[in-house]
Amino acid sequence: MAESNTRVPWRRGWTAADRRIALIAFADALGTGTYLAGSAVFFTQAVGLTAAQVGFGLSLGALVGLGTTFPIGVLADRIGPRPMLALICGWRALGFAGYAVISGLPAFLVLACLLGVASKAMAPVLQALVDVVVTPERRVRTMALSRSVRNVGFSLGGLLAVAPLQVGTRASYNVIVLVNAASFVVAGVLTWRMREIRTTDRRLGTRRHPFRALRDGHYLGLTLLNGIVLLNQSMLVLAIPLWTLQHTSVPRGFIPVFLVINTVLVALFQVPATRSAESLTSAIRTFVCSAGLVAGAAGMVAISGSLTTVAAAAVLVTAVLLQTGGELLQSAASWQLSFCFAPEESRGSYLALFGLGSALEGALGPYLLTASVIATGAGGWLGLAAVLAAAGLLLPLVVDPSRAVEGLPERPASATSRRRR
């Protein structure tokens, strides 16, 4: 009977909060997709930078973001995720609008660092907002809905960049960053108008334990293991394409097919995938399964280098399918696990800490996969598969269900009540 009650909300339609969160995610992705598609041309042609200067500035901004994500999470606990997210959107809108009027390296570095302050914190603060605008049993589904529409937004944003790039003037290039700025204005307004269905005296918790998350060994372990499985992202966008180009006879024109397969499947199946992580126990199983799928993808890539063109292409497509399946399950499981082990009064800082796993993967993953995996050939891919499988198998040993603050529908209500008292 309890299982039936758990599944009912997933068959209902979108709530008003679901739609608002999805619109926030879509606006963000639409602008970001436009910016990412045209940023390289914008910075080199409009701002007058070299490729090396662009890379240095963006990396510097990303490092600043790594250092400020957790403090912003603590601040979100103090003032609430809704005003914090609105502030982040406004900050980013001003920063990207500033790109339209700058020229030269110094101004670029200043703006890149200012934008870096808020860039990495937006995702965990949005997740914290979901926590207070939907009921607990709908949180993972709402996160999945936002991720699905985000994929659509990225694709449409990339198309929006085509016309300004074709025109090729400073004014047309400015459209690329101004569209991104406008998207954050829209996201900020939508955020500010959200209605919270429950509130918590978060300020009391952060005054007493502002750095509580950093001392939580179980949550740090969860964050680390999740960051390892998140290597599937760098596998998809960098390692598999480079391996295909350098170690197989598959035509380079086939490489974009990998990303198309992944994007379409994530948009279609991210919401259904959340059914595998509706409770804490099922989320742990799903995480282990996701790590196994990504490990299998790495193993498939390892054998592709010795195959004929057609066979290698088929094996690599299979690897991308496994990677995508692992990505879908990892996302669903990580949302549930990150919520279940984060105390309500400190949820902003906990989720910000958890988000650092993704940020570190984005910073270190490309280097690790190119320098350690691709450089050592098939053996490197098999070693990566072993690391990924180990991360999944270690999760049940690292997380202790009895330490969860919620999300234990399998346990009798009386036992839960006794534990909370």
Side-chain angles (χ1 to χ4, degrees):
M1 187 67 178
E3 180 70 11
S4 176
N5 289 339
T6 300
R7 291 184 180 272
V8 169
W10 303 102
R11 295 196 291 265
R12 296 174 184 169
W14 289 30
T15 66
D18 288 337
R19 290 191 292 271
R20 187 64 63 86
I21 291 293
L23 285 173
I24 293 170
F26 179 79
D28 176 8
L30 184 70
T32 302
T34 305
Y35 168 73
L36 291 178
S39 60
V41 176
F42 172 81
F43 288 124
T44 55
Q45 302 300 311
V47 184
L49 305 175
T50 66
Q53 289 172 333
V54 174
F56 173 74
L58 295 180
S59 296
L60 183 61
L63 288 174
V64 171
L66 287 176
T68 56
T69 295
F70 183 75
I72 289 177
V74 174
L75 184 58
D77 285 332
R78 290 285 188 101
I79 68 175
R82 184 178 61 85
M84 190 70 250
L85 185 60
L87 179 61
I88 289 173
C89 289
W91 183 276
R92 299 187 76 183
L94 290 173
F96 281 107
Y99 276 146
V101 297
I102 67 166
S103 62
L105 182 61
F108 165 66
L109 292 178
V110 171
L111 270 182
C113 291
L114 289 175
L115 281 167
V117 169
S119 62
K120 302 297 182 183
M122 186 160 181
V125 175
L126 176 62
Q127 187 177 351
L129 176 65
V130 169
D131 178 50
V132 298
V133 299
V134 302
T135 56
E137 64 270 18
R138 293 189 65 89
R139 293 179 309 200
V140 176
R141 182 179 188 272
T142 301
M143 292 296 299
L145 287 170
S146 71
R147 190 164 191 260
S148 294
V149 300
R150 187 179 293 276
N151 273 269
V152 177
F154 278 129
S155 299
L156 294 178
L159 294 176
L160 285 179
V162 172
L165 291 175
Q166 286 294 329
V167 174
T169 65
R170 173 69 197 242
S172 69
Y173 292 147
N174 284 346
V175 170
I176 293 170
V177 291
L178 291 177
V179 165
N180 200 17
S183 74
F184 285 114
V185 172
V186 173
V189 171
L190 290 170
T191 298
W192 189 255
R193 297 180 64 183
M194 289 288 290
R195 184 178 67 87
E196 298 181 14
I197 63 172
R198 61 191 183 89
T199 58
T200 305
D201 188 1
R202 297 172 179 269
R203 292 174 297 178
L204 181 60
T206 53
R207 286 193 186 111
R208 290 177 177 174
H209 307 289
F211 302 105
R212 177 181 180 181
L214 297 177
R215 299 194 295 268
D216 191 329
H218 289 269
Y219 207 81
L220 287 169
L222 172 62
T223 298
L224 175 61
L225 295 178
N226 185 62
I228 292 173
V229 179
L230 273 172
L231 285 170
N232 73 81
Q233 298 293 297
S234 294
M235 281 175 56
L236 174 70
V237 300
L238 181 65
I240 293 178
L242 283 178
W243 177 265
T244 302
L245 186 64
Q246 298 174 3
H247 296 273
T248 75
S249 57
V250 176
R252 66 181 63 191
F254 191 75
I255 292 175
V257 173
F258 302 148
L259 188 59
V260 171
I261 291 172
N262 175 270
T263 302
V264 171
L265 292 180
V266 169
L268 291 176
F269 295 108
Q270 184 63 80
V271 175
T274 60
R275 294 176 184 148
S276 66
E278 293 178 338
S279 67
L280 177 56
T281 300
S282 63
I284 293 173
R285 290 196 301 265
T286 297
F287 187 91
V288 175
C289 182
S290 74
L293 288 174
V294 181
M300 295 295 286
V301 176
I303 66 175
S304 66
S306 59
L307 303 176
T308 63
T309 300
V310 174
V315 167
L316 288 170
V317 167
T318 303
V320 171
L321 291 173
L322 290 173
Q323 178 275 331
T324 302
E327 178 185 346
L328 291 168
L329 295 181
Q330 179 273 330
S331 297
S334 65
W335 290 325
Q336 187 71 276
L337 293 169
S338 60
F339 277 127
C340 287
F341 289 96
E344 187 175 0
E345 70 279 3
S346 302
R347 193 149 283 164
S349 56
Y350 267 74
L351 293 177
L353 175 63
F354 191 75
L356 285 178
S358 174
L360 286 172
E361 187 282 328
L364 301 178
Y367 175 76
L368 291 174
L369 291 184
T370 53
S372 301
V373 175
I374 295 179
T376 52
W381 284 102
L382 294 175
L384 175 63
V387 170
L388 290 164
L393 294 174
L394 282 172
L395 183 78
L397 304 178
V398 170
V399 299
D400 180 2
S402 67
R403 295 172 63 92
V405 296
E406 58 181 63
L408 296 169
E410 304 86 359
R411 294 176 178 267
S414 58
T416 304
S417 300
R418 287 196 299 269
R419 184 173 60 255
R420 288 180 176 174
R421 286 197 296 266

